[in-house]
Amino acid sequence: GNSVTQMEGPVTLSEEAFLTINCTYTATGYPSLFWYVQYPGEGLQLLLKATKADDKGSNKGFEATYRKETTSFHLEKGSVQVSDSAVYFCALSSLVNTGTASKLTFGTGTRLQVTL
Amino acid sequence: KAGVTQTPRYLIKTRGQQVTLSCSPISGHRSVSWYQQTPGQGLQFLFEYFSETQRNKGNFPGRFSGRQFSNSRSEMNVSTLELGDSALYLCASSLVWARRGRAEAFFGQGTRLTVV
């Protein structure tokens, strides 16, 4: 079955530091890949996505590239801010049931804490 | 455009009771999925509905059920509540692209269920 593996957290960084959160996946076919962010007490917000190999998703300074050869989708940001403190989830979406439905499979989440 | 709306935001129930949670998707979105989030198990897929039909189901006992109405609104029901059902229940809606089938999902803020 499909699975997503994320690096363990928490990750603690100083403001303006470089961020990398590793994500690798196992899936059949050609999944779409996503990063979601969850702030305390909130639901999930879509941060970025990539739907095919070599696509780069980007949003709010965050980037991730769909690497089929290494089955990876690592999240990066060049300079983090205190407001980026949250839990980040890597996820993949694949077709199921002969293409009539889709399902998201999530990683375990990585908590990021950014300090001044 | 209004986002995904889940009601209620918080619920406290007693073991053995049943509960119904509601989700109104983004206007025009026809697919609704439900996820359970717990500290121990992370985010787990419950089920997906499209055109009032359950298209996919996760690995949960039959006490968990759902339905979708003609206006795409969805409800999920948990009967005979157990302590372990305490969780954040998240609803997500998405456009369904017939050919690609992998549109991004937009999440509501969730319903926090506490079983005592």
Side-chain angles (χ1 to χ4, degrees):
Chain A
N2 297 336
S3 67
V4 176
T5 302
Q6 281 183 244
M7 62 186 288
E8 293 283 331
V11 174
T12 303
L13 295 173
S14 299
E15 202 170 44
E16 299 183 1
F18 184 84
L19 168 71
T20 299
I21 300 179
N22 290 337
C23 170
T24 57
Y25 68 90
T26 302
T28 54
Y30 301 94
S32 292
L33 301 174
F34 306 91
W35 278 99
Y36 284 88
V37 58
Q38 186 174 37
Y39 297 99
E42 301 290 322
L44 299 176
Q45 296 179 24
L46 177 66
L47 183 59
L48 52 84
K49 67 173 183 178
T51 57
K52 62 183 188 297
D54 299 325
D55 265 3
K56 177 185 280 189
S58 61
N59 185 28
K60 300 180 182 179
F62 291 90
E63 292 183 340
T65 301
Y66 189 143
R67 300 286 188 201
K68 189 165 174 61
E69 64 276 12
T70 55
T71 61
S72 65
F73 192 55
H74 305 321
L75 182 67
E76 297 182 335
K77 187 175 186 183
S79 176
V80 294
Q81 305 300 311
V82 171
S83 58
D84 293 327
S85 298
V87 180
Y88 292 81
F89 292 90
C90 184
L92 69 82
S93 176
S94 58
L95 291 173
V96 296
N97 297 344
T98 64
T100 60
S102 62
K103 166 188 163 181
L104 280 170
T105 301
F106 287 91
T108 53
T110 302
R111 182 175 300 278
L112 170 66
Q113 182 158 357
V114 181
T115 59
L116 289 170
Chain B
K1 201 173 192 180
V4 178
T5 302
Q6 290 188 248
T7 56
R9 287 292 309 276
Y10 303 93
L11 265 178
I12 300 176
K13 290 287 189 179
T14 305
R15 266 184 308 175
Q17 287 186 313
Q18 75 163 13
V19 67
T20 298
L21 312 181
S22 180
C23 172
S24 293
I26 293 171
S27 178
H29 286 195
R30 298 171 63 193
S31 171
V32 174
S33 300
W34 289 89
Y35 294 81
Q36 181 197 64
Q37 185 178 24
T38 60
Q41 300 298 318
L43 281 153
Q44 294 187 287
F45 172 77
L46 280 155
F47 23 66
E48 180 192 11
Y49 286 87
F50 175 69
S51 291
E52 302 176 63
T53 302
Q54 188 180 90
R55 301 288 177 152
N56 195 15
K57 189 177 191 306
N59 188 26
F60 278 81
R63 300 186 296 107
F64 292 81
S65 63
R67 59 178 175 168
Q68 186 180 34
F69 302 95
S70 58
N71 61 358
S72 295
R73 191 177 70 85
S74 177
E75 290 180 345
M76 68 163 281
N77 184 276
V78 188
S79 62
T80 321
L81 283 165
E82 300 177 0
L83 294 178
D85 297 332
S86 295
L88 180 66
Y89 290 88
L90 293 164
C91 169
S93 77
S94 63
L95 289 169
V96 178
W97 301 335
R99 288 188 178 185
R100 304 195 65 180
R102 298 192 291 272
E104 59 263 38
F106 295 88
F107 284 80
Q109 291 189 296
T111 294
R112 171 77 61 186
L113 172 65
T114 303
V115 182
V116 298

